Amino acid sequence: MIKQTHKIAILGAGSWGTALASTFSMNGNQVILWGKNQSDIDDINQNHQNRRFLQEAFLDKNLKATTDLKDAVKDAEIVLFVVPTSAVRQVAGKLASILPSLKNEIIFGHAIKGIEVDSNKRVSQMISEEIPSIKEDDLFFISGPSHAESVVKRAITLVAVASSNQARAAIIQAALSNSFFRVYTNSDLCGSEYAAALKNVLAIAGGIIKGLKMTDNTQAALVTRGLSEMRRLGVALGGKSETFNGLAGLGDLIVTAMSTNSRNFRAGLGLASGKDLKQVQKEMGMVIEGVKTAKAVDQLSRKNNISMPISESVYKILYENAKIDDVVADLMNRPLISEE
């Protein structure tokens, strides 16, 4: 059976966008990766690398890159947003002005793990607001335990594509799956987006725990009780409980909260070493999604009266200059309750 291939535009040439673009490309799809930094684009086109984000990893040789957004999407059948959450509205707004000139029908989706501060909108909501012709129910979302650094090295990886439109999810599943990258589908776009964003806040806590040289006991407690927090808020906001037990929830939480490949985890390590947030962000030189998401999660949990003590503790460390030792003590001295 001959595998159907597609023309795909990936918007965002950071580590995750590049890894996904290379994976789609090695499957025989015709892929164009769009980015704003000309030196990154030149590195991809000339050297088949993106060394600013993925160091010595080599990309599929058929992958092309451009800084011209219109050129990237002009013939695309699939368009995937992989820009930082803070850039979604800007990029979607630019794309909205281009789409009327295109004749091709496009399937839209994203692989962005964040929530907008103040509006508390999910990424799918942001895209559909900026491009009214795109219905949220027709968007897809790729998430799961999948560090870009491992994907470009062809490590066995499993992810999920979430969409209310299962026919479209199946198209993405087939286009992205291969011998090392296995894709599942689920119908819970809302829950998958919340799970992906919320785990970034807990990953900062994971880095703090590691930086304080706490044991595996503590890490396991973080993952277990953190998952409970994610589920409580996600279900209250419309997600399905079972989503949080799957790749988009527990799977992504484990890999992000326990690995130095995670920017959020590394941010936690920096905070545990005594550095302040500004210093950590400066040294990282890349977007740390969990920082802004912590503010959005604090807003959502308060608004919906959802108890999220670990996430609240991360917020206090990031935005209220709370001392880590004091926060840990407060967590351990909370009133004793049932696990349920």
Side-chain angles (χ1 to χ4, degrees), residues 197-206 264 290 293-294 297 310-311 314-315:
L198 296 173
K199 59 87 186 175
N200 282 334
V201 181
L202 297 167
I204 295 175
N264 299 286
T293 302
V297 169
I310 302 173
S311 300
V314 174
Y315 174 82

Side-chain angles (χ1 to χ4, degrees), residues 264-279:
N264 299 286
F265 183 90
R266 295 201 303 274
L269 287 175
L271 293 167
S273 72
K275 299 173 183 176
D276 61 25
L277 179 58
K278 287 184 178 180
Q279 187 177 359

Side-chain angles (χ1 to χ4, degrees), residues 210-228:
K210 190 68 174 180
L212 294 177
K213 302 187 184 306
M214 294 184 178
T215 70
D216 295 343
N217 293 4
T218 317
Q219 288 181 309
L222 169 68
V223 170
T224 307
R225 297 308 300 163
L227 180 62
S228 295

